[in-house]
Amino acid sequence: MAAPATEPPASRRPRRHVVRWVVLVLGALVVALVVCVALLAREALAARDALTEAAEMLPAAEDAVRSGDVDAARDVLDDLAPLTTTARENTDGPLWAAAAHTPGVGADVSAVSTTAASVDTLVQDVLPPLAQVAQVLAGDGLRPVDGAIDLAPVTDAAPVVHEASTAIDGVVADLGAIDTSALLPVVAGPVDDLRDRTVDLASVVATGERFVDLVPPLLGADGPRTYLLLNLNSAELRAAGGIPGAVAEIHADGGRITLGRQVPSNVFGPYAEPVLPLAPEDEHLYTDRMGRFVQDTVLTPDFPTAAATTAEMWRQSLGGDVDGVLATDPVALSYLLEATGPITSDGIEVTAENAVELLLSEVYATFGTPEETDAFFASVSAAVFGRALDGSVGAGDVQAAFLRAAEEHRLLLWSAHEDEQDVLEDTLLSGAIDTAARADASLGVFVNDAVSGKLTYYLDTESEIVATRCTPEGSVHTVRTVLTSRVPDDAATSLPGYVLGTSPDADPVMIRVNLVLYPSRGGTLTDITRDGESTGGQTAEVGGRRATEIPISLAPGASTTVDVDMRGGPAATDGDAAADDDSSTIDLWTTPTATSSGLAVQAVPAC
C-alpha cells in the first residue's frame, strides 16, 4: 500500500510559484521580442526602400542646387522629402533606441538611425536654402538694373542660410561620431559615402554663408563704401603678382558701384619711413621698401599686409580712409573681357586675346613714358570693370570670370573692417598666407623682380611638387621650380630703356629676380639645389615659416631649375579629398605671372 502523499514543506511551496512566474514572464518576453523584432524588421525594410530611392535622387538635387537650377531643385526636393521623412520616422522611437543598446547589432542599428536622420536633415533643412542662394548667384540676381544691384534677395536669404549652416554642422558632427570600423560592411560603406558627401556639401554651405554675410555690406547695404583697385603689372613681378602700376577708387552705395579717381602709382611717396610698423621678419627679408614705396608693398605674398600698407599710403598722400583694397592683373582682365567683349581705350581695341601682350609688352612701344603706360593701363581697367558692372553683361558670365581669377590668385580682396576680414581670411580672395588657417600646410614659391624694369614679362615660371616622402617628423615635399628667360636676343636695341631697367654693373638684358621659398607653417627647408648644385640664400622666420630668398640671374634664352625639400606639416589643407584614401591635397602658392597661375592644388601621398 502506497504511502499517502504528503504536503511539501511550506518553505518550498513559494519556489514553485516563482518558477511558474518566471516561465510566464519569459514566455511573454519571447513573444514581445518576436513582436519587436518583427516591428523593427518591418520598419527597417520600409526605411531601406525609402533611403534606396532617395539615394538615387539625392545627387540630382545637389547638382541642381549647385548649378542654380532652382525649379529643378524644387521638383526633386519635393519628391525627396516624403522619402527621407519615411526613412527617419521608421528608424526612430523606443524600439530603435532599445535595439541600439543590443550587444552585437547595437552599433549598426544606431548608425542606420543616425544616417536616416542625417539624410532627412539635408533634404529638409540644408538643400532648400542653398537653392535659394544659388538662384541669386546663377541667374541674373546680381545683375545691375538702372546702375544698381538689388541686394534684398541676398539679405533675405541670410537667415535661412545661417540655419542651414547650423543644421549641416550638426549632421557632420553626428556622422563623424560613428565608428565605421565597428559596423557591418553593408552599413559602413553607405555611412562613409554619406559622410564624405556631407563634408563636401558643408564647404558649399560655408561658402554660401560667407556670400550672404559679405556681399551686402561690401556693396554698401549699410552705408557708402570706398575701395582701392590696384592694377598689378606682371611685367615687373612682385610676390603677390606685380607692382601696382595704377590705382583707382571704387565707390559702392546701396548696391550701386561707380568709379572714382584714377591715379598713377607715382603719386604715392616715397616715404621717409614705413607708413605702418613692419614685422621685423618682413623688414629683414624684404627691407623697409615695402613700407615706403607703393610699388613694393606687394614684395610680401601676404596680401592683407600689402593692402593695409597701401591703404595707409593712400590716406597720407590723397586723403580719406578706405574700406578695403582689391587687386587684379592683366590676365584677370582678359577673363573679364571674355564676358564683356572688347573695349576701346585711346583708340586701341583691347580684347580677351590681345589684352595680356598689349598691356604688358606692346604698350611700351606705343607710349613714350611710364606715366602714359600707367594711365592707359588704368583706363583699360576702368573700362572693363565699368562694362562688367553696368548691367549690360550677364551676371553669371562676370561671376565665372571673377571665380576663375580668384582660383589663380589673380583677384585679391582685403577689408579694413575686422569682422569682414575674419570671414574673408580663409577664402581664395584673401591671399592671407601669413595668417589664414587654410594656408597652414601650404607651400610657397614667389618671385620678386630685383631690377626696376619690365623684363619679367618675359620670365616663364613653373613650380610643382615632384615627390613626397613620409618621415617620423612628417611629410617632406620636393618642390621643383623652373625659370626660363624669353627675353628677345635683340632686346638691348628693340626694347625701351625703362623696360630693360637699370641695375649697377649688370647686363641690361639680364633678368634678375629673387626667388622666395616658403615651407609649411612650422616647417623647414632643406637640400636646396640649383641645376644640381647645392645653394642657399638669405633666411628669415616669416609668418611662422622659415623662408629662404635666393638671387637668380638669367641671360636671354637661359633656364634654371631649383629643387628644395620642404619638411614638416600635414599634407591635407582644408579637408579636400583627393583621388583615394591613400592621398590628400596640398596648396602650392606661387606668384601669378603672365603665363602661370598663382595657385596649384596637388594630390600627394597621405602620411
Side-chain angles (χ1 to χ4, degrees):
M1 185 172 180
T6 59
E7 190 76 6
S11 60
R12 294 178 60 191
R13 286 198 299 270
R15 187 173 299 172
R16 181 182 297 172
H17 294 303
V18 169
V19 170
R20 287 175 178 171
W21 181 82
V22 169
V23 170
L24 290 172
V25 170
L26 286 174
L29 284 175
V30 168
V31 173
L33 284 173
V34 170
V35 172
C36 289
V37 169
L39 289 173
L40 281 172
R42 187 184 70 183
E43 291 179 349
L45 288 172
R48 182 201 65 183
D49 292 343
L51 280 177
T52 299
E53 189 174 350
E56 295 176 354
M57 300 168 60
L58 193 58
E62 291 183 10
D63 290 344
V65 166
R66 290 171 187 266
S67 66
D69 188 346
V70 179
D71 291 336
R74 285 174 179 162
D75 289 343
V76 179
L77 290 173
D78 286 344
D79 293 335
L80 267 173
L83 295 172
T84 59
T85 298
T86 296
R88 186 172 199 155
E89 291 176 347
N90 280 282
T91 55
D92 195 11
L95 290 180
W96 285 83
H101 293 87
T102 302
V105 297
D108 296 283
V109 170
S110 177
V112 170
S113 182
T114 298
T115 300
S118 297
V119 172
D120 192 45
T121 298
L122 294 178
V123 170
Q124 305 283 356
D125 302 329
V126 176
L127 291 177
L130 278 186
Q132 187 174 344
V133 176
Q135 183 177 33
V136 177
L137 279 172
D140 279 342
L142 295 180
R143 187 172 187 163
V145 177
D146 296 328
I149 296 171
D150 182 8
L151 299 176
V154 183
T155 304
D156 293 344
V160 292
V161 172
H162 290 311
E163 291 174 5
S165 178
T166 301
I168 200 166
D169 285 347
V171 170
V172 169
D174 290 343
L175 293 174
I178 298 175
D179 179 10
T180 54
S181 66
L183 304 179
L184 293 170
V186 71
V187 178
V191 171
D192 281 332
D193 181 61
L194 180 62
R195 182 157 50 197
D196 291 342
R197 293 174 67 90
T198 303
V199 168
D200 180 53
L201 189 60
S203 69
V204 178
V205 174
T207 299
E209 190 170 30
R210 285 191 290 264
F211 172 75
V212 297
D213 284 345
L214 285 172
V215 167
L218 286 176
L219 296 184
D222 303 326
R225 292 289 186 94
T226 297
Y227 302 96
L228 301 183
L229 172 62
L230 307 185
N231 297 293
L232 302 183
N233 188 332
S234 311
E236 188 171 346
L237 288 174
R238 294 292 185 268
I243 65 165
V247 182
E249 273 182 323
I250 297 178
H251 301 294
D253 188 4
R256 187 177 300 277
I257 303 171
T258 56
L259 287 167
R261 290 175 289 179
Q262 300 173 50
V263 299
S265 59
N266 62 12
V267 304
F268 297 85
Y271 305 89
E273 300 290 337
V275 297
L276 291 176
L278 300 178
E281 57 269 27
D282 282 338
E283 186 167 355
H284 174 70
L285 193 61
Y286 302 117
T287 77
D288 69 352
R289 293 180 62 89
M290 62 178 286
R292 297 176 49 237
F293 294 83
V294 70
Q295 297 86 351
D296 293 327
T297 56
V298 283
L299 281 169
T300 170
D302 187 62
F303 187 67
T305 298
T309 305
T310 304
E312 178 60 20
M313 289 179 177
W314 176 276
R315 189 191 68 79
Q316 290 190 19
S317 294
L318 296 166
D321 293 326
V322 297
D323 296 286
V325 177
L326 183 72
T328 190
D329 69 6
V331 177
L333 287 180
S334 75
Y335 297 161
L336 271 178
L337 281 162
E338 291 179 8
T340 65
I343 61 97
T344 300
S345 180
D346 287 348
I348 300 173
E349 184 180 54
V350 186
T351 69
E353 292 72 27
N354 73 5
V356 175
E357 185 174 7
L358 173 64
L359 292 171
L360 296 179
S361 177
E362 293 177 2
V363 68
Y364 299 113
T366 304
F367 297 97
T369 67
E371 290 76 19
E372 289 177 308
T373 58
D374 286 346
F376 179 72
F377 201 143
S379 68
V380 169
S381 178
V384 174
F385 272 87
R387 177 81 61 80
L389 299 173
D390 67 6
S392 63
V393 182
D397 294 334
V398 172
Q399 291 158 25
F402 280 141
L403 177 60
R404 183 181 177 188
E407 288 175 339
E408 297 182 8
H409 280 181
R410 299 185 188 279
L411 183 67
L412 302 169
L413 175 63
W414 168 80
S415 174
H417 300 265
E418 187 173 348
D419 58 336
E420 295 171 5
Q421 182 58 27
D422 287 343
V423 177
L424 276 169
E425 187 165 73
D426 276 317
T427 69
L428 288 171
L429 287 171
S430 76
I433 195 170
D434 284 356
T435 54
R438 66 170 283 123
D440 280 353
S442 64
L443 310 176
V445 178
F446 305 104
V447 178
N448 281 312
D449 200 333
V451 176
S452 180
K454 300 292 183 289
L455 276 185
T456 47
Y457 165 71
Y458 300 98
L459 179 67
D460 284 345
T461 63
E462 298 179 16
S463 295
E464 63 176 330
I465 301 169
V466 294
T468 296
R469 66 181 187 274
C470 300
T471 72
E473 294 77 29
S475 305
V476 179
H477 306 288
T478 300
V479 179
R480 173 167 296 162
T481 299
V482 179
L483 304 176
T484 304
S485 171
R486 293 183 290 105
V487 172
D489 292 335
D490 64 349
T493 56
S494 65
L495 296 178
Y498 68 86
V499 171
L500 297 173
T502 56
S503 180
D505 303 321
D507 187 331
V509 297
M510 187 81 71
I511 288 180
R512 297 180 182 273
V513 297
N514 293 315
L515 190 68
V516 187
L517 306 173
Y518 273 40
S520 60
R521 196 164 292 140
T524 57
L525 302 175
T526 59
D527 299 325
I528 305 174
T529 64
R530 180 180 177 188
D531 299 327
E533 300 291 333
S534 180
T535 189
Q538 180 182 208
T539 63
E541 189 83 18
V542 181
R545 305 166 194 264
R546 192 64 179 173
T548 296
E549 181 183 70
I550 302 171
I552 302 285
S553 297
L554 288 175
S559 181
T560 192
T561 300
V562 176
D563 287 337
V564 56
D565 283 351
M566 299 190 175
R567 180 185 300 272
T573 55
D574 56 356
D576 293 333
D580 54 62
D581 293 338
D582 296 325
S583 63
S584 56
T585 59
I586 193 164
D587 288 351
L588 177 60
W589 293 38
T590 56
T591 296
T593 71
T595 57
S596 61
S597 168
L599 176 65
V601 181
Q602 289 194 233
V604 296
C607 293

